[in-house]
Amino acid sequence: LVLKCENLVFAKHGLTTEQHAVLLAIKYIDDPVTPTDVARWLDRNTNSISLIVERMVKAGLVRRIRDLRDRRSVRLVITSSGKDILDRATVAGWELVQEILSSLSEDERHALVNLLGTVRGRAFEYLNPGESMEEIKRNEVKNMARFMKRVARYGSKSAFSANKKNNTEAPASPAVDIS
């Protein structure tokens, strides 16, 4: 049901829930961002992310840029149109989350986060028997801390708008647009 709510909210901004997630991943992963990076961040396979990105390129939300140093490498960059849509959709999505969780106390929200983390850990162990979760946990803690720090600013639309100014489209190394 929550996914259906998200779909409704993001559709009002011309996005699917998956496209919104891809835009967030591109925005919050350290540059340069590849489709493989996005797939890892979203726990999806690279082929499904590539199909989503293809539609996003056609919609003008994302550009694919070939790295001039390594012609095999493709980086993803959000277009200015994609940034505008992402900003508006994220505010609406954040408001949805706040509305849905408003019936829970702070203690209940913390318990929910902990329980979902436990379930996710068990699912990882099921999919990766015998692998250590320590490296993944370290990376997730680092990424989640960065993400939550930025998301915390989205509580107010004015703070969200101020955050937009810090993001640029310029690639980190020589590249050519292949979109």
Side-chain angles (χ1 to χ4, degrees), residues 86-114:
L86 173 63
D87 291 347
R88 289 191 311 271
T90 301
V91 169
W94 187 248
E95 289 169 351
L96 170 69
V97 169
Q98 289 176 328
E99 182 178 332
I100 289 173
L101 296 179
S102 67
S103 63
L104 300 178
S105 70
E106 188 170 340
D107 287 343
E108 290 170 327
R109 285 189 300 253
H110 285 290
L112 176 63
V113 168
N114 290 333

Side-chain angles (χ1 to χ4, degrees), residues 118-136:
T118 300
V119 169
R120 187 172 190 276
R122 294 293 292 165
F124 177 85
E125 289 171 5
Y126 179 82
L127 293 172
N128 304 283
E131 284 192 36
S132 171
M133 286 276 300
E134 293 310 309
E135 176 81 18
I136 290 163

